[in-house]
Amino acid sequence: MPATNAKPAAKAAAKQAPKSIESKLAKLGLRTDMDLVLHLPMRYEDETQIVPIREASLRGGHVSQVEGVVTKNEIAYKPRRQLLVTIADETSDIQLRFMNFYGSQVKQLAEGTRVRARSEVRHGFFGAEMVHPVYKIVNEGAPLPNALTPVYPAGEGLSQTILRRAIADAMKRVDWTDTVPRAVREKLNLAEFQPAVRLLHYPPPDVDEHALTERSHPAWTRVKFDELLAQQLSLKRAQQARREKGAPVLGAVGALSASFLEALPFKLTNAQQRVVEEIRRDLREDYPMQRLLQGDVGSGKTVVAALAAAQAIDSGYQAALMAPTEILAEQHFRKIAAWMEPLGVKVAWLTGSLKKKEKTAASEMTESGEAQLVIGTHALIQDTVQFAKLGLVLVDEQHRFGVGQRLTLRNKGSDGLVPHQLMMSATPIPRTLAMTYYADLEVSVIDELPPGRTPIVTRAIDQNRRDEVIERVHAAAQEGRQAYWVCPLIEESEALQLQTATETYETLAQALPDLVVGLVHGRMKPAEKQVIMDAFSAGEVHVLVATTVIEVGVDVPNASLMVIEHAERFGLSQLHQLRGRVGRGSAASVCLLLYQSPLGPVAKQRLMTMRETTDGFEIARRDLEIRGPGEFLGARQSGQAMLRFANLETDQWIVEQARDVAAWLLESDRPEAEAIVDAHLQRWLGGREEFLKV
Ligand code: ADP
Ligand code: MG
């Protein structure tokens, strides 16, 4: 019997206020009994001991539980109305302070009452005190709990007591069938489901407290395994479903591909060749490719994408390339058009900023099939844009797009066929993440830079040495090189960011009268931006002052100096992207990270990482350490909510086990396997599986 989740939760608490509790539980995502059972403690409190008041006071700053008799109870009015209760034991006394209180509490805490109170001990003006402690009235010698007390993630209006009761009731009702087959449990030495969950809710007195808190206890391992298994199963099913869809077979690696390669001014690196092969193989299949092309900034992803497009065109289909910004899209358009047009390929350009007439012309070329390759921004996915025969979708900087946007482009196929999809990203996804959130994608990695690049030297420099930095910019320009000067990120205010950029531009223009200084920022019209970018590409502008609009993709090989102001405000991957704008030519490049002291610990760590490595994968790994996975997931964040217990960093070994078991279950021909998979997914994901289908 598969585990069912159908019974309504919160029946237990229903007596008091059925609607409100149920809806509050629902807000926490607790809709079914199994949801409640899997609502596990986020931590545990130790109420098993009472500390003498004197000791608790000496220990100050720690959470302690004390017990004493009320010796004083008064309402004070300075600085504001508050209830002050003093309790004493044989060793000392301590004040309990309540800023908000009810009349009934004043009576309840009358002199002579025995109180057990638990809170952090602070040292106030009048000695040791607890502010708003958790307390209860007890009789002398009242027994202490002999186990740790679970503390649940709670929402507004949901007390621990209500949650505890709702969970306890749900525990009695759920189907406890173990969804992981015994053979698997034995092989992996996994705890059984019910005892594991029970232990986490009600830890026995002799439990290994450390392992419980650190979540390394076997009971936690079991729960994490289940969670990860559900995720893997769900992703793999999505992958299977994709394979059942039809895609155009792009079988021809023909004349265009050959002459394109021949015309390239360079030879592909081994890594590029390898991924080109991987993509070629996928495109020949009759189900849609969904491949992520990962490669550090400057590793040469564009040419790989262009080769994939050539294969689609050779096979009589259209290809579309979508980029997240106008600057980047335009750059792709120029570069790829320069490669392809001499070979007779018709390339169309489609962005939001085009004049109506131009846009209509581009759309018509796309719809008639005259345009074999269409390059642009989000404009590509508008309803009005129809493709005659779309075979391949290329998405650059895929993490910048929402899932919905990528899907729309994918739905623009014809004859009921789904186009192949190649997504590019320079934000490397650490292995564990790739294995979990991206388990339904194939991944190709370009792990080699084109030859002849000299490594970028990175320095962190205090903001007050700005003059020296300006001098370096000057020197670089005199050697015929160009520089970027990136203005500080001001997250709170775009207007302020703009103002800073303009000021920086003016200061630099003044300090460097013999150089041409340019300014580019997000508020400029695309055409204005393009004029500056063109001038910079052509070497007519020596220093380009920019906001983060240049973060992605910009490729000007002659630029060899990157100055980032207030580098401490940027995240690691952003710094890495920005730095990647230099080091693209053969000249030795330098990245100067200007910072404002004093630096906080996280910022210090980031700048140190930047100085120590230029390897995008290493940077991503450290970023994951500093920040957690959220940032990498982009639009997939919806799926992140699914991992409540497993920690992708410390639990990689469990991820691997779960992945293997998922593969084994799905490949198994035994009819039970499918029932197992269904039951497990139902238990862990309920109706939430949809998140992962895209
Ligand atoms: P990214 O992977 O960051 O998108 P690009 O595709 O913009 O990188 O490539 C960076 C630069 O390297 C471009 O100027 C490109 O023409 C050049 N390039 C790409 N592949 C090679 C190669 N195999 N040999 C030499 N230069 C290359
Ligand atoms: Mg690129």
Side-chain angles (χ1 to χ4, degrees):
M1 239 287 283
T4 51
N5 284 357
K7 286 167 210 143
K11 232 184 215 158
K15 258 177 265 151
Q16 316 170 341
K19 267 249 169 66
S20 73
I21 290 183
E22 212 166 300
S23 70
K24 281 171 188 161
L25 288 172
K27 257 195 200 152
L28 285 182
L30 306 176
R31 292 189 178 79
T32 65
D33 284 335
M34 191 48 89
D35 289 344
L36 279 165
V37 166
L38 295 176
H39 192 62
L40 295 169
M42 56 180 174
R43 60 189 170 85
Y44 297 88
E45 277 182 355
D46 189 354
E47 293 177 354
T48 61
Q49 283 174 53
I50 285 175
V51 183
I53 291 177
R54 192 179 132 74
E55 197 181 307
S57 311
L58 289 174
R59 263 205 234 162
H62 285 266
V63 173
S64 303
Q65 176 167 255
V66 297
E67 186 175 311
V69 174
V70 177
T71 57
K72 204 161 135 196
N73 171 322
E74 60 172 4
I75 296 175
Y77 288 91
K78 275 183 196 161
R80 49 178 275 202
R81 190 164 177 271
Q82 49 187 306
L83 172 62
L84 302 175
V85 173
T86 306
I87 61 169
D89 66 6
E90 309 79 66
T91 62
S92 183
D93 57 15
I94 188 166
Q95 179 168 283
L96 315 182
R97 183 201 295 268
F98 300 89
M99 251 78 87
N100 303 301
F101 58 95
Y102 298 108
S104 57
Q105 265 176 305
V106 182
K107 284 196 205 117
Q108 187 191 29
L109 293 166
E111 277 177 35
T113 314
R114 180 170 283 271
V115 179
R116 205 171 269 174
R118 196 167 176 287
S119 171
E120 192 180 309
V121 179
R122 289 206 219 154
H123 289 280
F125 188 65
F126 296 106
E129 65 170 10
M130 288 181 167
V131 180
H132 278 277
V134 177
Y135 73 91
K136 63 179 170 197
I137 311 298
V138 291
N139 293 321
E140 188 162 10
L144 286 161
N146 56 7
L148 297 178
T149 313
V151 181
Y152 295 100
E156 208 180 318
L158 278 178
S159 68
Q160 292 295 321
T161 321
I162 294 178
L163 274 168
R164 239 170 256 160
R165 194 180 318 148
I167 291 168
D169 283 348
M171 299 272 285
K172 287 184 213 133
R173 290 189 299 251
V174 289
D175 173 1
W176 285 103
T177 313
D178 203 316
T179 48
V180 175
R182 175 187 293 272
V184 173
R185 291 200 311 263
E186 279 170 4
K187 182 154 173 242
L188 300 178
N189 207 4
L190 280 174
E192 280 178 58
F193 182 64
Q194 181 173 18
V197 170
R198 179 165 290 281
L199 181 141
L200 296 176
H201 284 297
Y202 311 114
D206 60 347
V207 75
D208 177 347
E209 247 177 76
H210 181 73
L212 199 63
T213 330
E214 294 288 300
R215 301 200 167 186
S216 58
H217 191 283
W220 276 122
T221 306
R222 168 61 207 256
V223 165
K224 292 174 180 182
F225 175 85
D226 274 25
E227 177 178 51
L228 289 164
L229 179 63
Q231 193 193 34
Q232 294 293 315
L233 286 171
S234 154
L235 288 165
K236 289 217 160 83
R237 276 210 169 160
Q239 193 175 27
Q240 283 179 345
R242 175 162 57 84
R243 295 205 164 200
E244 279 152 24
K245 294 206 183 96
V249 177
L250 308 177
V253 178
L256 177 61
S257 307
S259 45
F260 176 81
L261 270 178
E262 218 161 277
L264 270 185
F266 48 75
K267 235 178 107 277
L268 295 186
T269 61
N270 289 333
Q272 282 170 320
Q273 254 158 23
R274 175 169 42 75
V275 306
V276 164
E277 274 314 312
E278 288 166 357
I279 294 164
R280 279 189 176 160
R281 232 176 293 133
D282 282 3
L283 295 181
R284 289 195 194 105
E285 299 287 353
D286 59 359
Y287 58 86
M289 165 174 88
Q290 195 164 341
R291 191 171 275 281
L292 179 67
L293 174 57
Q294 264 185 39
D296 211 344
V297 285
S299 61
K301 294 184 288 294
T302 317
V303 64
V304 172
L307 269 166
Q311 183 169 342
I313 297 165
D314 263 336
S315 312
Y317 279 86
Q318 291 171 299
L321 167 58
M322 180 165 75
T325 65
E326 294 249 352
I327 288 189
L328 188 53
E330 169 116 17
Q331 199 173 292
H332 279 317
F333 173 66
R334 282 167 187 244
K335 187 159 215 165
I336 295 175
W339 281 335
M340 295 259 188
E341 278 176 349
L343 305 173
V345 176
K346 190 84 188 155
V347 188
W349 164 238
L350 189 58
T351 70
S353 70
L354 287 180
K355 298 217 178 65
K356 187 136 192 277
K357 232 167 87 191
E358 299 166 317
K359 212 188 272 174
T360 315
S363 299
E364 278 171 13
M365 277 173 66
T366 308
E367 192 166 345
S368 70
E370 185 193 347
Q372 294 161 294
L373 176 58
V374 189
I375 299 178
T377 54
H378 308 82
L380 282 182
I381 58 175
Q382 277 165 7
D383 289 343
T384 48
V385 182
Q386 299 295 330
F387 288 80
K389 232 184 152 190
L390 184 59
L392 171 68
V393 166
L394 304 156
V395 182
D396 198 11
E397 307 292 341
Q398 65 92 21
H399 57 284
R400 293 286 191 108
F401 289 101
V403 171
Q405 290 173 316
R406 290 192 334 244
L407 267 184
T408 319
L409 197 47
R410 209 171 72 181
N411 290 337
K412 288 199 181 277
S414 44
D415 304 328
L417 296 178
V418 177
H420 298 276
Q421 191 170 185
L422 181 68
M423 291 164 272
M424 291 172 264
S425 179
T427 305
I429 298 159
R431 191 177 130 75
T432 344
L433 270 185
M435 269 167 52
T436 50
Y437 295 100
Y438 291 86
D440 61 332
L441 298 184
E442 321 291 338
V443 181
S444 288
V445 182
I446 307 183
D447 51 5
E448 178 186 4
L449 292 179
R453 304 261 170 93
T454 41
I456 307 168
V457 175
T458 303
R459 297 244 152 75
I461 299 179
D462 195 304
Q463 189 86 17
N464 61 25
R465 289 170 56 198
R466 208 160 174 253
D467 288 347
E468 291 169 44
V469 175
I470 295 177
E471 195 37 54
R472 290 210 52 170
V473 172
H474 192 245
Q478 300 221 297
E479 286 166 25
R481 318 237 59 105
Q482 291 164 278
Y484 294 99
W485 190 293
V486 177
C487 294
L489 181 72
I490 302 172
E491 276 180 347
E492 312 82 62
S493 157
E494 203 195 337
L496 204 57
Q497 174 153 333
L498 195 62
Q499 187 195 332
T500 319
T502 316
E503 280 167 16
T504 309
Y505 164 73
E506 280 160 8
T507 322
L508 286 180
Q510 218 163 46
L512 301 165
D514 55 332
L515 302 187
V516 182
V517 183
L519 171 65
V520 62
H521 58 73
R523 282 281 184 87
M524 287 163 100
K525 294 220 177 71
E528 297 171 335
K529 272 188 231 167
Q530 203 51 53
V531 170
I532 308 277
M533 292 310 297
D534 285 349
F536 190 64
S537 295
E540 292 154 14
V541 168
H542 301 108
V543 188
L544 185 64
V545 177
T547 54
T548 47
V549 294
I550 60 145
E551 181 190 342
V552 290
V554 174
D555 183 32
V556 179
N558 192 48
S560 65
L561 178 57
M562 166 64 67
V563 181
I564 303 175
E565 265 199 82
H566 279 290
E568 77 279 0
R569 295 190 194 163
F570 292 90
L572 259 185
S573 67
Q574 220 173 3
L575 288 172
H576 180 62
Q577 284 278 352
L578 285 169
R579 178 171 61 183
R581 297 311 109 215
V582 297
R584 306 191 143 233
S586 50
S589 291
V590 177
C591 175
L592 302 177
L593 304 171
L594 289 182
Y595 65 84
Q596 175 86 56
S597 21
L599 281 176
V602 171
K604 200 176 266 175
Q605 208 180 341
R606 269 195 228 126
L607 298 190
M608 198 136 75
T609 299
M610 287 299 290
R611 268 177 21 215
E612 281 169 7
T613 176
T614 51
D615 175 351
F617 281 82
E618 176 61 17
I619 287 176
R621 199 187 59 72
R622 297 207 200 169
D623 208 15
L624 185 65
E625 252 170 44
I626 300 178
R627 249 190 335 183
E631 195 71 12
F632 293 93
L633 303 172
R636 290 211 155 209
Q637 255 153 356
S638 49
Q640 189 193 5
M642 288 179 41
L643 281 193
R644 289 174 289 165
F645 308 121
N647 172 336
L648 289 182
E649 252 176 82
T650 50
D651 300 330
Q652 184 163 340
W653 62 283
I654 312 179
V655 176
E656 280 168 27
Q657 289 183 341
R659 186 193 51 179
D660 293 347
V661 172
W664 176 77
L665 278 172
L666 291 175
E667 276 156 25
S668 163
D669 289 331
R670 294 171 309 133
E672 314 91 87
E674 196 170 322
I676 292 171
V677 171
D678 285 340
H680 192 78
L681 284 175
Q682 179 60 34
R683 172 173 289 173
W684 279 90
L685 300 183
R688 280 165 295 197
E689 207 185 330
E690 286 303 313
F691 278 143
L692 292 167
K693 290 239 167 95
V694 282

